[in-house]
Amino acid sequence: MSQPRPCRATAHSNIALVKYWGKRDGDDPALNLPAVGSLSMTLDVLRSETLVSPAQADGFELDGAQIGGKPAAKVFAHLDRVWRLADLNGARPPCSVRSTNHLPTAAGLASSASGFAALTIAAAGSFGICDQLDGPARAQLSAWARMGSGSAARSLWGGFVRLDAGSRGDGSDCLARQLHGADHWDLKLLVVHTARGAKQVGSTGGMESSRLTSPYYPAWVETSPADLDAAQTSLAARAFEPLGAVMEHSCFKMHACMLATQPPLMYWNGATLEVIRAVWSIREAGGPRGFVTSDAGPHVKVLCESAHAAALAQQLREVAGVHEVQIVAPGPDASLELL
Ligand code: DP6
């Protein structure tokens, strides 16, 4: 291959209903193998678009601004990884990477999931590894995206996606797959913004400290497979309450494990708690039913049935400290465009 081809990829962000937190101990860290499986909903609207094209020297632009330092180094290292994994000969040619995040970057809203998924796809297209995302290509690129960021493995597909932890040291059974397309169930996720700006401790460092210091980490890992299977069963049956219950349980177990980390990982702020309490009291009072989850950041995501989304969002906008409530539907597959 002489020159990269200009290629654009779009990947949607995803939110885990059953969470991933922690990497497998003892296996090659470069494979980024999760200690637990996870199950996610891909989100409409919230997405990353990434263009990879030939250039004189490597460059990375995010939302119109030139980026250097560690974030750029991570992007170029991922291009090198895709080049190497595809067994391409010689040195990787220099590339220009231009990304637009249609979501707040690094604020616990899964920008690394959509970002690494879009980067992986655009790089693979650009290096001539694939022209379209058929089934095998999508699965292959999902595994490569995982090496950039675990949650990115799930953003290759739309709808509802399961990532299995697997047990083989080479990662060959750590695979994501779509369980249901976006039209399986008319659900909405309310993204309740409770802060502006980037989070303080990234997921990668946070989960490693939990593995090393949280006394609850072994229990977290041990109890996760049952949650995963229960969520998959409820999702297939469109059983809202049981899905909501296991989703909340997985979220609070993960946050308990985070809180018991030394030093503690407290990703929430006061408004996070106010929103959680509001969702619960509205539900208990027989109002629009929602179930909460939150990631390595202060925002709350509330799963609800479509018919109740507008009313619940309106009530949550009234909670002190809430900046914005977005109503998001299940989103589509990631896509690739050769330019
Ligand atoms: C809390 O995928 O960002 O959002 O693999 O180290 O890049 P790395 O971590 P990342 O972690 C996501 C953690 C989470 C839960 C989840 O999305 O499953």
mmCIF file with all atom_site columns, all heavy atoms in Angstrom, residues 19-23 35-36 201-208 210-211 217 220-221 254 257-258 261 265 267 295-296:
data_model
loop_
_atom_site.group_PDB
_atom_site.id
_atom_site.type_symbol
_atom_site.label_atom_id
_atom_site.label_alt_id
_atom_site.label_comp_id
_atom_site.label_asym_id
_atom_site.label_entity_id
_atom_site.label_seq_id
_atom_site.pdbx_PDB_ins_code
_atom_site.Cartn_x
_atom_site.Cartn_y
_atom_site.Cartn_z
_atom_site.occupancy
_atom_site.B_iso_or_equiv
_atom_site.pdbx_formal_charge
_atom_site.auth_seq_id
_atom_site.auth_comp_id
_atom_site.auth_asym_id
_atom_site.auth_atom_id
_atom_site.pdbx_PDB_model_num
ATOM 1   N N   . LYS A 1 19  ? -22.257 -3.156  33.523 1.00 0.00 ? 19  LYS A N   1
ATOM 2   C CA  . LYS A 1 19  ? -20.995 -2.426  33.371 1.00 0.00 ? 19  LYS A CA  1
ATOM 3   C C   . LYS A 1 19  ? -19.748 -3.288  33.232 1.00 0.00 ? 19  LYS A C   1
ATOM 4   O O   . LYS A 1 19  ? -19.668 -4.381  33.805 1.00 0.00 ? 19  LYS A O   1
ATOM 5   C CB  . LYS A 1 19  ? -20.757 -1.555  34.623 1.00 0.00 ? 19  LYS A CB  1
ATOM 6   C CG  . LYS A 1 19  ? -21.852 -0.581  34.938 1.00 0.00 ? 19  LYS A CG  1
ATOM 7   C CD  . LYS A 1 19  ? -21.985 0.479   33.883 1.00 0.00 ? 19  LYS A CD  1
ATOM 8   C CE  . LYS A 1 19  ? -22.984 1.542   34.273 1.00 0.00 ? 19  LYS A CE  1
ATOM 9   N NZ  . LYS A 1 19  ? -23.331 2.397   33.123 1.00 0.00 ? 19  LYS A NZ  1
ATOM 10  N N   . TYR A 1 20  ? -18.777 -2.674  32.552 1.00 0.00 ? 20  TYR A N   1
ATOM 11  C CA  . TYR A 1 20  ? -17.394 -3.179  32.507 1.00 0.00 ? 20  TYR A CA  1
ATOM 12  C C   . TYR A 1 20  ? -16.566 -2.297  33.438 1.00 0.00 ? 20  TYR A C   1
ATOM 13  O O   . TYR A 1 20  ? -16.601 -1.079  33.329 1.00 0.00 ? 20  TYR A O   1
ATOM 14  C CB  . TYR A 1 20  ? -16.912 -3.100  31.055 1.00 0.00 ? 20  TYR A CB  1
ATOM 15  C CG  . TYR A 1 20  ? -15.458 -2.768  30.801 1.00 0.00 ? 20  TYR A CG  1
ATOM 16  C CD1 . TYR A 1 20  ? -14.425 -3.495  31.401 1.00 0.00 ? 20  TYR A CD1 1
ATOM 17  C CD2 . TYR A 1 20  ? -15.121 -1.758  29.916 1.00 0.00 ? 20  TYR A CD2 1
ATOM 18  C CE1 . TYR A 1 20  ? -13.092 -3.179  31.136 1.00 0.00 ? 20  TYR A CE1 1
ATOM 19  C CE2 . TYR A 1 20  ? -13.789 -1.447  29.631 1.00 0.00 ? 20  TYR A CE2 1
ATOM 20  C CZ  . TYR A 1 20  ? -12.779 -2.155  30.248 1.00 0.00 ? 20  TYR A CZ  1
ATOM 21  O OH  . TYR A 1 20  ? -11.467 -1.849  29.980 1.00 0.00 ? 20  TYR A OH  1
ATOM 22  N N   . TRP A 1 21  ? -15.854 -2.891  34.363 1.00 0.00 ? 21  TRP A N   1
ATOM 23  C CA  . TRP A 1 21  ? -14.922 -2.136  35.221 1.00 0.00 ? 21  TRP A CA  1
ATOM 24  C C   . TRP A 1 21  ? -13.834 -3.096  35.648 1.00 0.00 ? 21  TRP A C   1
ATOM 25  O O   . TRP A 1 21  ? -14.085 -4.015  36.423 1.00 0.00 ? 21  TRP A O   1
ATOM 26  C CB  . TRP A 1 21  ? -15.665 -1.545  36.439 1.00 0.00 ? 21  TRP A CB  1
ATOM 27  C CG  . TRP A 1 21  ? -14.827 -0.538  37.211 1.00 0.00 ? 21  TRP A CG  1
ATOM 28  C CD1 . TRP A 1 21  ? -14.240 -0.723  38.436 1.00 0.00 ? 21  TRP A CD1 1
ATOM 29  C CD2 . TRP A 1 21  ? -14.495 0.795   36.802 1.00 0.00 ? 21  TRP A CD2 1
ATOM 30  N NE1 . TRP A 1 21  ? -13.563 0.421   38.806 1.00 0.00 ? 21  TRP A NE1 1
ATOM 31  C CE2 . TRP A 1 21  ? -13.701 1.376   37.822 1.00 0.00 ? 21  TRP A CE2 1
ATOM 32  C CE3 . TRP A 1 21  ? -14.784 1.558   35.661 1.00 0.00 ? 21  TRP A CE3 1
ATOM 33  C CZ2 . TRP A 1 21  ? -13.206 2.676   37.731 1.00 0.00 ? 21  TRP A CZ2 1
ATOM 34  C CZ3 . TRP A 1 21  ? -14.293 2.851   35.575 1.00 0.00 ? 21  TRP A CZ3 1
ATOM 35  C CH2 . TRP A 1 21  ? -13.515 3.388   36.621 1.00 0.00 ? 21  TRP A CH2 1
ATOM 36  N N   . GLY A 1 22  ? -12.646 -2.961  35.128 1.00 0.00 ? 22  GLY A N   1
ATOM 37  C CA  . GLY A 1 22  ? -11.530 -3.822  35.513 1.00 0.00 ? 22  GLY A CA  1
ATOM 38  C C   . GLY A 1 22  ? -11.039 -4.666  34.350 1.00 0.00 ? 22  GLY A C   1
ATOM 39  O O   . GLY A 1 22  ? -11.824 -5.104  33.512 1.00 0.00 ? 22  GLY A O   1
ATOM 40  N N   . LYS A 1 23  ? -9.717  -4.849  34.330 1.00 0.00 ? 23  LYS A N   1
ATOM 41  C CA  . LYS A 1 23  ? -9.108  -5.648  33.264 1.00 0.00 ? 23  LYS A CA  1
ATOM 42  C C   . LYS A 1 23  ? -8.607  -6.965  33.818 1.00 0.00 ? 23  LYS A C   1
ATOM 43  O O   . LYS A 1 23  ? -8.273  -7.056  34.992 1.00 0.00 ? 23  LYS A O   1
ATOM 44  C CB  . LYS A 1 23  ? -7.950  -4.861  32.649 1.00 0.00 ? 23  LYS A CB  1
ATOM 45  C CG  . LYS A 1 23  ? -8.451  -3.573  31.999 1.00 0.00 ? 23  LYS A CG  1
ATOM 46  C CD  . LYS A 1 23  ? -7.336  -2.645  31.653 1.00 0.00 ? 23  LYS A CD  1
ATOM 47  C CE  . LYS A 1 23  ? -7.817  -1.230  31.419 1.00 0.00 ? 23  LYS A CE  1
ATOM 48  N NZ  . LYS A 1 23  ? -8.688  -1.008  30.307 1.00 0.00 ? 23  LYS A NZ  1
ATOM 49  N N   . ALA A 1 35  ? -12.176 -7.772  32.647 1.00 0.00 ? 35  ALA A N   1
ATOM 50  C CA  . ALA A 1 35  ? -12.364 -8.831  33.643 1.00 0.00 ? 35  ALA A CA  1
ATOM 51  C C   . ALA A 1 35  ? -13.807 -9.314  33.660 1.00 0.00 ? 35  ALA A C   1
ATOM 52  O O   . ALA A 1 35  ? -14.093 -10.413 34.137 1.00 0.00 ? 35  ALA A O   1
ATOM 53  C CB  . ALA A 1 35  ? -11.982 -8.298  35.025 1.00 0.00 ? 35  ALA A CB  1
ATOM 54  N N   . VAL A 1 36  ? -14.710 -8.474  33.201 1.00 0.00 ? 36  VAL A N   1
ATOM 55  C CA  . VAL A 1 36  ? -16.139 -8.824  33.199 1.00 0.00 ? 36  VAL A CA  1
ATOM 56  C C   . VAL A 1 36  ? -16.744 -8.490  31.841 1.00 0.00 ? 36  VAL A C   1
ATOM 57  O O   . VAL A 1 36  ? -16.271 -7.582  31.154 1.00 0.00 ? 36  VAL A O   1
ATOM 58  C CB  . VAL A 1 36  ? -16.921 -8.054  34.302 1.00 0.00 ? 36  VAL A CB  1
ATOM 59  C CG1 . VAL A 1 36  ? -16.467 -8.469  35.685 1.00 0.00 ? 36  VAL A CG1 1
ATOM 60  C CG2 . VAL A 1 36  ? -16.791 -6.542  34.127 1.00 0.00 ? 36  VAL A CG2 1
ATOM 61  N N   . VAL A 1 201 ? -10.554 11.605  37.091 1.00 0.00 ? 201 VAL A N   1
ATOM 62  C CA  . VAL A 1 201 ? -9.788  10.352  36.962 1.00 0.00 ? 201 VAL A CA  1
ATOM 63  C C   . VAL A 1 201 ? -10.389 9.550   35.819 1.00 0.00 ? 201 VAL A C   1
ATOM 64  O O   . VAL A 1 201 ? -11.568 9.205   35.847 1.00 0.00 ? 201 VAL A O   1
ATOM 65  C CB  . VAL A 1 201 ? -9.875  9.497   38.254 1.00 0.00 ? 201 VAL A CB  1
ATOM 66  C CG1 . VAL A 1 201 ? -9.026  8.235   38.115 1.00 0.00 ? 201 VAL A CG1 1
ATOM 67  C CG2 . VAL A 1 201 ? -9.437  10.297  39.446 1.00 0.00 ? 201 VAL A CG2 1
ATOM 68  N N   . GLY A 1 202 ? -9.580  9.273   34.808 1.00 0.00 ? 202 GLY A N   1
ATOM 69  C CA  . GLY A 1 202 ? -10.065 8.518   33.655 1.00 0.00 ? 202 GLY A CA  1
ATOM 70  C C   . GLY A 1 202 ? -10.427 7.090   34.059 1.00 0.00 ? 202 GLY A C   1
ATOM 71  O O   . GLY A 1 202 ? -10.024 6.604   35.123 1.00 0.00 ? 202 GLY A O   1
ATOM 72  N N   . SER A 1 203 ? -11.177 6.415   33.183 1.00 0.00 ? 203 SER A N   1
ATOM 73  C CA  . SER A 1 203 ? -11.616 5.051   33.494 1.00 0.00 ? 203 SER A CA  1
ATOM 74  C C   . SER A 1 203 ? -10.441 4.089   33.592 1.00 0.00 ? 203 SER A C   1
ATOM 75  O O   . SER A 1 203 ? -10.401 3.238   34.488 1.00 0.00 ? 203 SER A O   1
ATOM 76  C CB  . SER A 1 203 ? -12.548 4.524   32.404 1.00 0.00 ? 203 SER A CB  1
ATOM 77  O OG  . SER A 1 203 ? -13.583 5.405   32.176 1.00 0.00 ? 203 SER A OG  1
ATOM 78  N N   . THR A 1 204 ? -9.479  4.217   32.671 1.00 0.00 ? 204 THR A N   1
ATOM 79  C CA  . THR A 1 204 ? -8.394  3.227   32.611 1.00 0.00 ? 204 THR A CA  1
ATOM 80  C C   . THR A 1 204 ? -7.627  3.182   33.934 1.00 0.00 ? 204 THR A C   1
ATOM 81  O O   . THR A 1 204 ? -7.424  2.102   34.507 1.00 0.00 ? 204 THR A O   1
ATOM 82  C CB  . THR A 1 204 ? -7.427  3.575   31.453 1.00 0.00 ? 204 THR A CB  1
ATOM 83  O OG1 . THR A 1 204 ? -8.204  3.795   30.282 1.00 0.00 ? 204 THR A OG1 1
ATOM 84  C CG2 . THR A 1 204 ? -6.420  2.482   31.217 1.00 0.00 ? 204 THR A CG2 1
ATOM 85  N N   . GLY A 1 205 ? -7.219  4.353   34.424 1.00 0.00 ? 205 GLY A N   1
ATOM 86  C CA  . GLY A 1 205 ? -6.480  4.412   35.690 1.00 0.00 ? 205 GLY A CA  1
ATOM 87  C C   . GLY A 1 205 ? -7.373  4.034   36.854 1.00 0.00 ? 205 GLY A C   1
ATOM 88  O O   . GLY A 1 205 ? -6.945  3.334   37.785 1.00 0.00 ? 205 GLY A O   1
ATOM 89  N N   . GLY A 1 206 ? -8.614  4.485   36.822 1.00 0.00 ? 206 GLY A N   1
ATOM 90  C CA  . GLY A 1 206 ? -9.545  4.222   37.917 1.00 0.00 ? 206 GLY A CA  1
ATOM 91  C C   . GLY A 1 206 ? -9.789  2.729   38.100 1.00 0.00 ? 206 GLY A C   1
ATOM 92  O O   . GLY A 1 206 ? -9.726  2.195   39.213 1.00 0.00 ? 206 GLY A O   1
ATOM 93  N N   . MET A 1 207 ? -10.026 2.032   37.000 1.00 0.00 ? 207 MET A N   1
ATOM 94  C CA  . MET A 1 207 ? -10.346 0.592   37.147 1.00 0.00 ? 207 MET A CA  1
ATOM 95  C C   . MET A 1 207 ? -9.119  -0.209  37.580 1.00 0.00 ? 207 MET A C   1
ATOM 96  O O   . MET A 1 207 ? -9.252  -1.221  38.272 1.00 0.00 ? 207 MET A O   1
ATOM 97  C CB  . MET A 1 207 ? -11.023 0.027   35.894 1.00 0.00 ? 207 MET A CB  1
ATOM 98  C CG  . MET A 1 207 ? -10.259 0.049   34.629 1.00 0.00 ? 207 MET A CG  1
ATOM 99  S SD  . MET A 1 207 ? -11.189 -0.744  33.273 1.00 0.00 ? 207 MET A SD  1
ATOM 100 C CE  . MET A 1 207 ? -12.362 0.493   32.804 1.00 0.00 ? 207 MET A CE  1
ATOM 101 N N   . GLU A 1 208 ? -7.953  0.267   37.204 1.00 0.00 ? 208 GLU A N   1
ATOM 102 C CA  . GLU A 1 208 ? -6.737  -0.430  37.638 1.00 0.00 ? 208 GLU A CA  1
ATOM 103 C C   . GLU A 1 208 ? -6.552  -0.244  39.149 1.00 0.00 ? 208 GLU A C   1
ATOM 104 O O   . GLU A 1 208 ? -6.231  -1.204  39.859 1.00 0.00 ? 208 GLU A O   1
ATOM 105 C CB  . GLU A 1 208 ? -5.539  0.085   36.825 1.00 0.00 ? 208 GLU A CB  1
ATOM 106 C CG  . GLU A 1 208 ? -4.260  -0.701  37.016 1.00 0.00 ? 208 GLU A CG  1
ATOM 107 C CD  . GLU A 1 208 ? -4.370  -2.204  36.744 1.00 0.00 ? 208 GLU A CD  1
ATOM 108 O OE1 . GLU A 1 208 ? -5.425  -2.696  36.273 1.00 0.00 ? 208 GLU A OE1 1
ATOM 109 O OE2 . GLU A 1 208 ? -3.388  -2.907  37.053 1.00 0.00 ? 208 GLU A OE2 1
ATOM 110 N N   . SER A 1 210 ? -8.955  0.216   41.283 1.00 0.00 ? 210 SER A N   1
ATOM 111 C CA  . SER A 1 210 ? -9.967  -0.629  41.938 1.00 0.00 ? 210 SER A CA  1
ATOM 112 C C   . SER A 1 210 ? -9.494  -2.076  42.016 1.00 0.00 ? 210 SER A C   1
ATOM 113 O O   . SER A 1 210 ? -9.630  -2.740  43.045 1.00 0.00 ? 210 SER A O   1
ATOM 114 C CB  . SER A 1 210 ? -11.289 -0.596  41.159 1.00 0.00 ? 210 SER A CB  1
ATOM 115 O OG  . SER A 1 210 ? -11.871 0.667   41.226 1.00 0.00 ? 210 SER A OG  1
ATOM 116 N N   . ARG A 1 211 ? -8.932  -2.567  40.907 1.00 0.00 ? 211 ARG A N   1
ATOM 117 C CA  . ARG A 1 211 ? -8.454  -3.962  40.895 1.00 0.00 ? 211 ARG A CA  1
ATOM 118 C C   . ARG A 1 211 ? -7.387  -4.170  41.967 1.00 0.00 ? 211 ARG A C   1
ATOM 119 O O   . ARG A 1 211 ? -7.380  -5.184  42.665 1.00 0.00 ? 211 ARG A O   1
ATOM 120 C CB  . ARG A 1 211 ? -7.884  -4.307  39.513 1.00 0.00 ? 211 ARG A CB  1
ATOM 121 C CG  . ARG A 1 211 ? -7.453  -5.758  39.361 1.00 0.00 ? 211 ARG A CG  1
ATOM 122 C CD  . ARG A 1 211 ? -6.930  -6.051  37.970 1.00 0.00 ? 211 ARG A CD  1
ATOM 123 N NE  . ARG A 1 211 ? -5.622  -5.475  37.719 1.00 0.00 ? 211 ARG A NE  1
ATOM 124 C CZ  . ARG A 1 211 ? -4.472  -6.001  38.131 1.00 0.00 ? 211 ARG A CZ  1
ATOM 125 N NH1 . ARG A 1 211 ? -4.467  -7.121  38.816 1.00 0.00 ? 211 ARG A NH1 1
ATOM 126 N NH2 . ARG A 1 211 ? -3.329  -5.401  37.850 1.00 0.00 ? 211 ARG A NH2 1
ATOM 127 N N   . TYR A 1 217 ? -13.651 -5.543  44.863 1.00 0.00 ? 217 TYR A N   1
ATOM 128 C CA  . TYR A 1 217 ? -13.401 -5.883  43.461 1.00 0.00 ? 217 TYR A CA  1
ATOM 129 C C   . TYR A 1 217 ? -13.649 -7.370  43.152 1.00 0.00 ? 217 TYR A C   1
ATOM 130 O O   . TYR A 1 217 ? -14.316 -7.685  42.163 1.00 0.00 ? 217 TYR A O   1
ATOM 131 C CB  . TYR A 1 217 ? -11.984 -5.440  43.060 1.00 0.00 ? 217 TYR A CB  1
ATOM 132 C CG  . TYR A 1 217 ? -11.673 -5.677  41.609 1.00 0.00 ? 217 TYR A CG  1
ATOM 133 C CD1 . TYR A 1 217 ? -12.126 -4.802  40.627 1.00 0.00 ? 217 TYR A CD1 1
ATOM 134 C CD2 . TYR A 1 217 ? -10.945 -6.802  41.207 1.00 0.00 ? 217 TYR A CD2 1
ATOM 135 C CE1 . TYR A 1 217 ? -11.859 -5.041  39.281 1.00 0.00 ? 217 TYR A CE1 1
ATOM 136 C CE2 . TYR A 1 217 ? -10.675 -7.037  39.873 1.00 0.00 ? 217 TYR A CE2 1
ATOM 137 C CZ  . TYR A 1 217 ? -11.129 -6.150  38.919 1.00 0.00 ? 217 TYR A CZ  1
ATOM 138 O OH  . TYR A 1 217 ? -10.875 -6.386  37.593 1.00 0.00 ? 217 TYR A OH  1
ATOM 139 N N   . TRP A 1 220 ? -17.283 -7.944  42.867 1.00 0.00 ? 220 TRP A N   1
ATOM 140 C CA  . TRP A 1 220 ? -17.775 -7.302  41.642 1.00 0.00 ? 220 TRP A CA  1
ATOM 141 C C   . TRP A 1 220 ? -17.576 -8.239  40.439 1.00 0.00 ? 220 TRP A C   1
ATOM 142 O O   . TRP A 1 220 ? -18.500 -8.480  39.658 1.00 0.00 ? 220 TRP A O   1
ATOM 143 C CB  . TRP A 1 220 ? -17.039 -5.960  41.452 1.00 0.00 ? 220 TRP A CB  1
ATOM 144 C CG  . TRP A 1 220 ? -17.009 -5.457  40.052 1.00 0.00 ? 220 TRP A CG  1
ATOM 145 C CD1 . TRP A 1 220 ? -15.934 -5.421  39.211 1.00 0.00 ? 220 TRP A CD1 1
ATOM 146 C CD2 . TRP A 1 220 ? -18.122 -4.935  39.304 1.00 0.00 ? 220 TRP A CD2 1
ATOM 147 N NE1 . TRP A 1 220 ? -16.307 -4.913  37.989 1.00 0.00 ? 220 TRP A NE1 1
ATOM 148 C CE2 . TRP A 1 220 ? -17.642 -4.612  38.015 1.00 0.00 ? 220 TRP A CE2 1
ATOM 149 C CE3 . TRP A 1 220 ? -19.468 -4.740  39.600 1.00 0.00 ? 220 TRP A CE3 1
ATOM 150 C CZ2 . TRP A 1 220 ? -18.461 -4.085  37.028 1.00 0.00 ? 220 TRP A CZ2 1
ATOM 151 C CZ3 . TRP A 1 220 ? -20.292 -4.212  38.607 1.00 0.00 ? 220 TRP A CZ3 1
ATOM 152 C CH2 . TRP A 1 220 ? -19.782 -3.889  37.347 1.00 0.00 ? 220 TRP A CH2 1
ATOM 153 N N   . VAL A 1 221 ? -16.367 -8.791  40.333 1.00 0.00 ? 221 VAL A N   1
ATOM 154 C CA  . VAL A 1 221 ? -16.054 -9.656  39.194 1.00 0.00 ? 221 VAL A CA  1
ATOM 155 C C   . VAL A 1 221 ? -16.881 -10.948 39.265 1.00 0.00 ? 221 VAL A C   1
ATOM 156 O O   . VAL A 1 221 ? -17.435 -11.413 38.268 1.00 0.00 ? 221 VAL A O   1
ATOM 157 C CB  . VAL A 1 221 ? -14.536 -9.979  39.155 1.00 0.00 ? 221 VAL A CB  1
ATOM 158 C CG1 . VAL A 1 221 ? -14.208 -11.020 38.096 1.00 0.00 ? 221 VAL A CG1 1
ATOM 159 C CG2 . VAL A 1 221 ? -13.736 -8.699  38.910 1.00 0.00 ? 221 VAL A CG2 1
ATOM 160 N N   . MET A 1 254 ? -20.797 -1.364  40.875 1.00 0.00 ? 254 MET A N   1
ATOM 161 C CA  . MET A 1 254 ? -19.565 -0.779  40.328 1.00 0.00 ? 254 MET A CA  1
ATOM 162 C C   . MET A 1 254 ? -19.155 0.445   41.143 1.00 0.00 ? 254 MET A C   1
ATOM 163 O O   . MET A 1 254 ? -17.976 0.607   41.482 1.00 0.00 ? 254 MET A O   1
ATOM 164 C CB  . MET A 1 254 ? -19.770 -0.388  38.857 1.00 0.00 ? 254 MET A CB  1
ATOM 165 C CG  . MET A 1 254 ? -18.548 0.257   38.232 1.00 0.00 ? 254 MET A CG  1
ATOM 166 S SD  . MET A 1 254 ? -18.789 0.752   36.523 1.00 0.00 ? 254 MET A SD  1
ATOM 167 C CE  . MET A 1 254 ? -19.734 2.262   36.723 1.00 0.00 ? 254 MET A CE  1
ATOM 168 N N   . CYS A 1 257 ? -17.679 -0.501  44.447 1.00 0.00 ? 257 CYS A N   1
ATOM 169 C CA  . CYS A 1 257 ? -16.299 -0.958  44.232 1.00 0.00 ? 257 CYS A CA  1
ATOM 170 C C   . CYS A 1 257 ? -15.379 0.247   44.028 1.00 0.00 ? 257 CYS A C   1
ATOM 171 O O   . CYS A 1 257 ? -14.263 0.303   44.560 1.00 0.00 ? 257 CYS A O   1
ATOM 172 C CB  . CYS A 1 257 ? -16.313 -1.895  43.018 1.00 0.00 ? 257 CYS A CB  1
ATOM 173 S SG  . CYS A 1 257 ? -14.728 -2.495  42.523 1.00 0.00 ? 257 CYS A SG  1
ATOM 174 N N   . MET A 1 258 ? -15.854 1.246   43.295 1.00 0.00 ? 258 MET A N   1
ATOM 175 C CA  . MET A 1 258 ? -15.063 2.473   43.074 1.00 0.00 ? 258 MET A CA  1
ATOM 176 C C   . MET A 1 258 ? -14.842 3.208   44.399 1.00 0.00 ? 258 MET A C   1
ATOM 177 O O   . MET A 1 258 ? -13.737 3.677   44.692 1.00 0.00 ? 258 MET A O   1
ATOM 178 C CB  . MET A 1 258 ? -15.818 3.419   42.141 1.00 0.00 ? 258 MET A CB  1
ATOM 179 C CG  . MET A 1 258 ? -15.893 2.971   40.691 1.00 0.00 ? 258 MET A CG  1
ATOM 180 S SD  . MET A 1 258 ? -17.166 3.971   39.852 1.00 0.00 ? 258 MET A SD  1
ATOM 181 C CE  . MET A 1 258 ? -16.755 3.694   38.141 1.00 0.00 ? 258 MET A CE  1
ATOM 182 N N   . THR A 1 261 ? -12.194 1.895   46.653 1.00 0.00 ? 261 THR A N   1
ATOM 183 C CA  . THR A 1 261 ? -10.834 1.962   46.103 1.00 0.00 ? 261 THR A CA  1
ATOM 184 C C   . THR A 1 261 ? -10.018 2.946   46.947 1.00 0.00 ? 261 THR A C   1
ATOM 185 O O   . THR A 1 261 ? -10.576 3.868   47.531 1.00 0.00 ? 261 THR A O   1
ATOM 186 C CB  . THR A 1 261 ? -10.926 2.445   44.632 1.00 0.00 ? 261 THR A CB  1
ATOM 187 O OG1 . THR A 1 261 ? -11.712 1.494   43.908 1.00 0.00 ? 261 THR A OG1 1
ATOM 188 C CG2 . THR A 1 261 ? -9.570  2.583   43.979 1.00 0.00 ? 261 THR A CG2 1
ATOM 189 N N   . LEU A 1 265 ? -12.639 6.511   44.633 1.00 0.00 ? 265 LEU A N   1
ATOM 190 C CA  . LEU A 1 265 ? -13.063 7.086   43.354 1.00 0.00 ? 265 LEU A CA  1
ATOM 191 C C   . LEU A 1 265 ? -14.508 7.526   43.512 1.00 0.00 ? 265 LEU A C   1
ATOM 192 O O   . LEU A 1 265 ? -15.414 6.696   43.579 1.00 0.00 ? 265 LEU A O   1
ATOM 193 C CB  . LEU A 1 265 ? -12.961 6.039   42.248 1.00 0.00 ? 265 LEU A CB  1
ATOM 194 C CG  . LEU A 1 265 ? -11.549 5.577   41.901 1.00 0.00 ? 265 LEU A CG  1
ATOM 195 C CD1 . LEU A 1 265 ? -11.605 4.339   41.009 1.00 0.00 ? 265 LEU A CD1 1
ATOM 196 C CD2 . LEU A 1 265 ? -10.781 6.697   41.210 1.00 0.00 ? 265 LEU A CD2 1
ATOM 197 N N   . TYR A 1 267 ? -17.036 9.663   41.605 1.00 0.00 ? 267 TYR A N   1
ATOM 198 C CA  . TYR A 1 267 ? -17.263 10.365  40.340 1.00 0.00 ? 267 TYR A CA  1
ATOM 199 C C   . TYR A 1 267 ? -18.488 11.274  40.399 1.00 0.00 ? 267 TYR A C   1
ATOM 200 O O   . TYR A 1 267 ? -18.739 12.020  39.473 1.00 0.00 ? 267 TYR A O   1
ATOM 201 C CB  . TYR A 1 267 ? -17.428 9.351   39.201 1.00 0.00 ? 267 TYR A CB  1
ATOM 202 C CG  . TYR A 1 267 ? -16.137 8.665   38.805 1.00 0.00 ? 267 TYR A CG  1
ATOM 203 C CD1 . TYR A 1 267 ? -15.861 7.347   39.174 1.00 0.00 ? 267 TYR A CD1 1
ATOM 204 C CD2 . TYR A 1 267 ? -15.173 9.350   38.053 1.00 0.00 ? 267 TYR A CD2 1
ATOM 205 C CE1 . TYR A 1 267 ? -14.677 6.723   38.790 1.00 0.00 ? 267 TYR A CE1 1
ATOM 206 C CE2 . TYR A 1 267 ? -13.995 8.736   37.669 1.00 0.00 ? 267 TYR A CE2 1
ATOM 207 C CZ  . TYR A 1 267 ? -13.749 7.421   38.040 1.00 0.00 ? 267 TYR A CZ  1
ATOM 208 O OH  . TYR A 1 267 ? -12.574 6.819   37.653 1.00 0.00 ? 267 TYR A OH  1
ATOM 209 N N   . ASP A 1 295 ? -21.664 6.382   34.935 1.00 0.00 ? 295 ASP A N   1
ATOM 210 C CA  . ASP A 1 295 ? -20.360 5.804   34.612 1.00 0.00 ? 295 ASP A CA  1
ATOM 211 C C   . ASP A 1 295 ? -19.260 6.521   35.382 1.00 0.00 ? 295 ASP A C   1
ATOM 212 O O   . ASP A 1 295 ? -19.495 6.951   36.498 1.00 0.00 ? 295 ASP A O   1
ATOM 213 C CB  . ASP A 1 295 ? -20.185 5.829   33.093 1.00 0.00 ? 295 ASP A CB  1
ATOM 214 C CG  . ASP A 1 295 ? -21.189 4.889   32.439 1.00 0.00 ? 295 ASP A CG  1
ATOM 215 O OD1 . ASP A 1 295 ? -21.000 3.678   32.545 1.00 0.00 ? 295 ASP A OD1 1
ATOM 216 O OD2 . ASP A 1 295 ? -22.201 5.370   31.883 1.00 0.00 ? 295 ASP A OD2 1
ATOM 217 N N   . ALA A 1 296 ? -18.091 6.658   34.778 1.00 0.00 ? 296 ALA A N   1
ATOM 218 C CA  . ALA A 1 296 ? -16.982 7.292   35.499 1.00 0.00 ? 296 ALA A CA  1
ATOM 219 C C   . ALA A 1 296 ? -17.085 8.805   35.338 1.00 0.00 ? 296 ALA A C   1
ATOM 220 O O   . ALA A 1 296 ? -16.170 9.460   34.837 1.00 0.00 ? 296 ALA A O   1
ATOM 221 C CB  . ALA A 1 296 ? -15.663 6.755   34.960 1.00 0.00 ? 296 ALA A CB  1
#
